[in-house]
Short mmCIF file of all heavy atoms in Angstrom, two decimals:
data_model
loop_
_atom_site.label_atom_id
_atom_site.label_comp_id
_atom_site.label_asym_id
_atom_site.label_seq_id
_atom_site.Cartn_x
_atom_site.Cartn_y
_atom_site.Cartn_z
N VAL A 30 3.13 -18.76 9.78
CA VAL A 30 2.85 -19.88 10.68
C VAL A 30 1.35 -20.05 10.86
O VAL A 30 0.83 -21.17 10.87
CB VAL A 30 3.56 -19.67 12.03
CG1 VAL A 30 3.34 -20.86 12.95
CG2 VAL A 30 5.06 -19.44 11.81
N TRP A 31 0.62 -18.96 10.97
CA TRP A 31 -0.85 -19.01 11.10
C TRP A 31 -1.49 -19.68 9.90
O TRP A 31 -2.39 -20.51 10.06
CB TRP A 31 -1.35 -17.58 11.28
CG TRP A 31 -2.84 -17.41 11.32
CD1 TRP A 31 -3.67 -17.67 12.37
CD2 TRP A 31 -3.67 -16.94 10.25
NE1 TRP A 31 -4.98 -17.38 12.03
CE2 TRP A 31 -5.00 -16.93 10.74
CE3 TRP A 31 -3.42 -16.52 8.95
CZ2 TRP A 31 -6.08 -16.52 9.95
CZ3 TRP A 31 -4.48 -16.10 8.16
CH2 TRP A 31 -5.80 -16.11 8.66
N LEU A 32 -1.03 -19.34 8.69
CA LEU A 32 -1.59 -19.96 7.49
C LEU A 32 -1.31 -21.45 7.45
O LEU A 32 -2.12 -22.24 6.95
CB LEU A 32 -1.00 -19.30 6.24
CG LEU A 32 -1.52 -17.90 5.89
CD1 LEU A 32 -0.64 -17.25 4.84
CD2 LEU A 32 -2.97 -17.97 5.41
N ALA A 33 -0.15 -21.86 7.96
CA ALA A 33 0.25 -23.26 7.90
C ALA A 33 -0.36 -24.10 9.01
O ALA A 33 -0.57 -25.30 8.85
CB ALA A 33 1.77 -23.37 7.97
N ALA A 34 -0.66 -23.47 10.14
CA ALA A 34 -1.10 -24.23 11.32
C ALA A 34 -2.57 -24.62 11.27
O ALA A 34 -3.00 -25.51 12.01
CB ALA A 34 -0.82 -23.42 12.58
N SER A 35 -3.36 -23.97 10.43
CA SER A 35 -4.79 -24.28 10.33
C SER A 35 -5.24 -24.02 8.90
O SER A 35 -4.51 -23.43 8.10
CB SER A 35 -5.60 -23.44 11.33
OG SER A 35 -5.30 -22.07 11.19
N GLU A 36 -6.45 -24.46 8.57
CA GLU A 36 -6.92 -24.36 7.18
C GLU A 36 -7.54 -22.99 6.89
O GLU A 36 -8.28 -22.45 7.72
CB GLU A 36 -7.93 -25.48 6.91
CG GLU A 36 -7.32 -26.88 6.97
CD GLU A 36 -8.31 -27.96 6.58
OE1 GLU A 36 -8.93 -27.83 5.51
OE2 GLU A 36 -8.45 -28.93 7.35
N HIS A 37 -7.24 -22.48 5.71
CA HIS A 37 -7.75 -21.19 5.25
C HIS A 37 -8.06 -21.28 3.76
O HIS A 37 -7.52 -22.14 3.06
CB HIS A 37 -6.72 -20.08 5.51
CG HIS A 37 -6.28 -19.99 6.93
ND1 HIS A 37 -7.03 -19.36 7.89
CD2 HIS A 37 -5.19 -20.50 7.56
CE1 HIS A 37 -6.40 -19.45 9.06
NE2 HIS A 37 -5.29 -20.14 8.89
N PRO A 38 -8.91 -20.40 3.22
CA PRO A 38 -9.26 -20.47 1.80
C PRO A 38 -8.03 -20.34 0.91
O PRO A 38 -7.16 -19.50 1.14
CB PRO A 38 -10.21 -19.27 1.61
CG PRO A 38 -10.75 -18.99 2.97
CD PRO A 38 -9.66 -19.34 3.93
N SER A 39 -7.96 -21.17 -0.11
CA SER A 39 -6.81 -21.20 -1.00
C SER A 39 -6.86 -20.06 -2.02
O SER A 39 -7.93 -19.55 -2.36
CB SER A 39 -6.77 -22.54 -1.74
OG SER A 39 -5.62 -22.67 -2.54
N GLY A 40 -5.67 -19.66 -2.49
CA GLY A 40 -5.59 -18.68 -3.56
C GLY A 40 -5.73 -17.25 -3.12
O GLY A 40 -5.90 -16.36 -3.96
N ARG A 41 -5.64 -16.96 -1.84
CA ARG A 41 -5.83 -15.60 -1.32
C ARG A 41 -4.47 -14.98 -0.95
O ARG A 41 -3.46 -15.66 -0.84
CB ARG A 41 -6.74 -15.60 -0.11
CG ARG A 41 -8.03 -16.41 -0.29
CD ARG A 41 -8.98 -15.81 -1.29
NE ARG A 41 -10.14 -16.66 -1.52
CZ ARG A 41 -11.23 -16.67 -0.73
NH1 ARG A 41 -11.28 -15.88 0.33
NH2 ARG A 41 -12.24 -17.46 -1.02
N PHE A 42 -4.49 -13.67 -0.74
CA PHE A 42 -3.31 -12.91 -0.34
C PHE A 42 -3.54 -12.37 1.07
O PHE A 42 -4.59 -11.77 1.34
CB PHE A 42 -3.09 -11.76 -1.34
CG PHE A 42 -1.85 -10.95 -1.08
CD1 PHE A 42 -0.60 -11.52 -1.13
CD2 PHE A 42 -1.95 -9.58 -0.81
CE1 PHE A 42 0.55 -10.75 -0.91
CE2 PHE A 42 -0.82 -8.81 -0.59
CZ PHE A 42 0.44 -9.41 -0.64
N TRP A 43 -2.57 -12.55 1.96
CA TRP A 43 -2.77 -12.29 3.38
C TRP A 43 -1.71 -11.37 3.96
O TRP A 43 -0.57 -11.34 3.50
CB TRP A 43 -2.75 -13.61 4.17
CG TRP A 43 -3.67 -14.66 3.66
CD1 TRP A 43 -3.43 -15.55 2.65
CD2 TRP A 43 -5.00 -14.94 4.12
NE1 TRP A 43 -4.52 -16.38 2.47
CE2 TRP A 43 -5.50 -16.02 3.35
CE3 TRP A 43 -5.81 -14.39 5.12
CZ2 TRP A 43 -6.76 -16.55 3.54
CZ3 TRP A 43 -7.07 -14.92 5.32
CH2 TRP A 43 -7.54 -15.99 4.55
N HIS A 44 -2.11 -10.65 5.01
CA HIS A 44 -1.17 -9.85 5.81
C HIS A 44 -1.78 -9.73 7.19
O HIS A 44 -2.96 -9.39 7.34
CB HIS A 44 -0.97 -8.47 5.18
CG HIS A 44 -0.21 -7.51 6.05
ND1 HIS A 44 1.07 -7.77 6.48
CD2 HIS A 44 -0.55 -6.29 6.57
CE1 HIS A 44 1.48 -6.74 7.22
NE2 HIS A 44 0.52 -5.84 7.30
N ASP A 45 -0.97 -10.01 8.20
CA ASP A 45 -1.43 -9.93 9.59
C ASP A 45 -2.76 -10.66 9.81
O ASP A 45 -3.73 -10.09 10.35
CB ASP A 45 -1.54 -8.46 10.03
CG ASP A 45 -0.18 -7.85 10.36
OD1 ASP A 45 0.80 -8.61 10.44
OD2 ASP A 45 -0.10 -6.62 10.54
N ARG A 46 -2.78 -11.92 9.36
CA ARG A 46 -3.90 -12.84 9.59
C ARG A 46 -5.22 -12.39 8.99
O ARG A 46 -6.29 -12.84 9.42
CB ARG A 46 -4.09 -13.11 11.10
CG ARG A 46 -2.88 -13.70 11.79
CD ARG A 46 -3.26 -14.28 13.15
NE ARG A 46 -2.10 -14.72 13.90
CZ ARG A 46 -2.16 -15.39 15.05
NH1 ARG A 46 -3.35 -15.69 15.57
NH2 ARG A 46 -1.07 -15.74 15.69
N GLU A 47 -5.17 -11.52 7.99
CA GLU A 47 -6.38 -11.10 7.29
C GLU A 47 -6.13 -11.13 5.78
O GLU A 47 -5.03 -10.84 5.32
CB GLU A 47 -6.79 -9.68 7.69
CG GLU A 47 -7.37 -9.57 9.10
CD GLU A 47 -8.77 -10.14 9.22
OE1 GLU A 47 -9.45 -10.27 8.18
OE2 GLU A 47 -9.17 -10.44 10.35
N GLU A 48 -7.18 -11.47 5.03
CA GLU A 48 -7.09 -11.41 3.58
C GLU A 48 -6.97 -9.96 3.13
O GLU A 48 -7.65 -9.09 3.65
CB GLU A 48 -8.32 -12.06 2.95
CG GLU A 48 -8.25 -12.10 1.43
CD GLU A 48 -9.49 -12.68 0.81
OE1 GLU A 48 -10.34 -13.24 1.55
OE2 GLU A 48 -9.63 -12.57 -0.43
N ARG A 49 -6.10 -9.72 2.15
CA ARG A 49 -5.88 -8.38 1.63
C ARG A 49 -6.11 -8.37 0.12
O ARG A 49 -5.99 -9.39 -0.54
CB ARG A 49 -4.44 -7.92 1.91
CG ARG A 49 -4.02 -8.04 3.37
CD ARG A 49 -4.77 -7.10 4.28
NE ARG A 49 -4.48 -7.40 5.69
CZ ARG A 49 -4.99 -6.75 6.72
NH1 ARG A 49 -5.84 -5.76 6.50
NH2 ARG A 49 -4.67 -7.10 7.95
N PRO A 50 -6.42 -7.19 -0.44
CA PRO A 50 -6.54 -7.09 -1.90
C PRO A 50 -5.18 -7.31 -2.55
O PRO A 50 -4.13 -7.03 -1.95
CB PRO A 50 -7.04 -5.67 -2.11
CG PRO A 50 -6.55 -4.91 -0.92
CD PRO A 50 -6.62 -5.90 0.23
N THR A 51 -5.18 -7.80 -3.79
CA THR A 51 -3.91 -7.98 -4.50
C THR A 51 -3.55 -6.76 -5.34
O THR A 51 -2.43 -6.66 -5.83
CB THR A 51 -3.97 -9.22 -5.40
OG1 THR A 51 -5.11 -9.11 -6.27
CG2 THR A 51 -4.10 -10.49 -4.57
N HIS A 52 -4.51 -5.85 -5.53
CA HIS A 52 -4.24 -4.63 -6.29
C HIS A 52 -4.82 -3.43 -5.54
O HIS A 52 -5.92 -3.50 -5.00
CB HIS A 52 -4.87 -4.69 -7.67
CG HIS A 52 -4.30 -5.75 -8.56
ND1 HIS A 52 -3.17 -5.57 -9.32
CD2 HIS A 52 -4.71 -7.02 -8.80
CE1 HIS A 52 -2.90 -6.67 -9.99
NE2 HIS A 52 -3.81 -7.56 -9.69
N ILE A 53 -4.06 -2.35 -5.55
CA ILE A 53 -4.54 -1.06 -5.05
C ILE A 53 -4.60 -0.06 -6.20
O ILE A 53 -5.53 0.72 -6.30
CB ILE A 53 -3.64 -0.54 -3.91
CG1 ILE A 53 -3.72 -1.48 -2.70
CG2 ILE A 53 -4.06 0.87 -3.50
CD1 ILE A 53 -2.79 -1.10 -1.57
N LEU A 54 -3.61 -0.12 -7.07
CA LEU A 54 -3.52 0.79 -8.21
C LEU A 54 -4.02 0.10 -9.47
O LEU A 54 -3.58 -1.01 -9.79
CB LEU A 54 -2.07 1.25 -8.40
CG LEU A 54 -1.39 1.88 -7.18
CD1 LEU A 54 0.08 2.12 -7.47
CD2 LEU A 54 -2.09 3.18 -6.80
N PRO A 55 -4.93 0.74 -10.23
CA PRO A 55 -5.44 0.12 -11.46
C PRO A 55 -4.35 -0.26 -12.45
O PRO A 55 -4.46 -1.26 -13.16
CB PRO A 55 -6.37 1.20 -12.03
CG PRO A 55 -6.78 2.02 -10.85
CD PRO A 55 -5.59 2.03 -9.95
N ARG A 56 -3.27 0.51 -12.50
CA ARG A 56 -2.23 0.26 -13.50
C ARG A 56 -1.46 -1.03 -13.26
O ARG A 56 -0.72 -1.48 -14.15
CB ARG A 56 -1.24 1.44 -13.54
CG ARG A 56 -0.43 1.62 -12.26
CD ARG A 56 0.58 2.76 -12.40
NE ARG A 56 1.31 3.01 -11.17
CZ ARG A 56 2.36 2.31 -10.76
NH1 ARG A 56 2.79 1.28 -11.49
NH2 ARG A 56 2.97 2.63 -9.62
N THR A 57 -1.61 -1.63 -12.09
CA THR A 57 -0.87 -2.86 -11.82
C THR A 57 -1.64 -4.11 -12.24
O THR A 57 -1.09 -5.21 -12.18
CB THR A 57 -0.54 -2.99 -10.32
OG1 THR A 57 -1.76 -3.15 -9.58
CG2 THR A 57 0.21 -1.76 -9.82
N ARG A 58 -2.87 -3.96 -12.68
CA ARG A 58 -3.69 -5.14 -13.02
C ARG A 58 -3.19 -5.80 -14.29
O ARG A 58 -2.89 -5.13 -15.27
CB ARG A 58 -5.16 -4.75 -13.15
CG ARG A 58 -5.76 -4.27 -11.84
CD ARG A 58 -7.26 -4.07 -11.94
NE ARG A 58 -7.79 -3.61 -10.67
CZ ARG A 58 -8.10 -4.41 -9.65
NH1 ARG A 58 -7.98 -5.72 -9.79
NH2 ARG A 58 -8.57 -3.92 -8.52
N GLU A 59 -3.14 -7.13 -14.26
CA GLU A 59 -2.70 -7.90 -15.40
C GLU A 59 -3.90 -8.50 -16.13
O GLU A 59 -4.97 -8.67 -15.53
CB GLU A 59 -1.74 -9.02 -14.97
CG GLU A 59 -2.39 -10.15 -14.20
CD GLU A 59 -2.65 -9.84 -12.74
OE1 GLU A 59 -2.09 -8.84 -12.23
OE2 GLU A 59 -3.40 -10.60 -12.10
N SER A 60 -3.72 -8.82 -17.40
CA SER A 60 -4.79 -9.45 -18.18
C SER A 60 -4.71 -10.97 -18.03
O SER A 60 -3.69 -11.51 -17.57
CB SER A 60 -4.64 -9.08 -19.66
OG SER A 60 -3.45 -9.65 -20.19
N GLU A 61 -5.76 -11.64 -18.44
CA GLU A 61 -5.74 -13.11 -18.42
C GLU A 61 -4.66 -13.64 -19.34
O GLU A 61 -4.03 -14.66 -19.05
CB GLU A 61 -7.12 -13.66 -18.82
CG GLU A 61 -8.16 -13.56 -17.72
CD GLU A 61 -7.77 -14.33 -16.47
OE1 GLU A 61 -7.23 -15.46 -16.60
OE2 GLU A 61 -7.97 -13.80 -15.36
N ASP A 62 -4.46 -12.97 -20.45
CA ASP A 62 -3.41 -13.40 -21.38
C ASP A 62 -2.04 -13.30 -20.72
O ASP A 62 -1.19 -14.19 -20.88
CB ASP A 62 -3.45 -12.55 -22.65
CG ASP A 62 -2.36 -12.94 -23.63
OD1 ASP A 62 -2.41 -14.07 -24.15
OD2 ASP A 62 -1.45 -12.12 -23.86
N GLU A 63 -1.80 -12.23 -19.98
CA GLU A 63 -0.51 -12.07 -19.29
C GLU A 63 -0.33 -13.16 -18.24
O GLU A 63 0.79 -13.68 -18.05
CB GLU A 63 -0.42 -10.69 -18.66
CG GLU A 63 -0.23 -9.56 -19.66
CD GLU A 63 -0.27 -8.21 -19.01
OE1 GLU A 63 -1.20 -7.95 -18.22
OE2 GLU A 63 0.62 -7.38 -19.31
#
């Protein structure tokens, strides 16, 4: 609801009203080709 009710930067990953990293473990990173 917070993301929808006001404007925030596009393309980000959020949890509890804060931007979060999309990766913690190196092995989960995808390539541009993927």
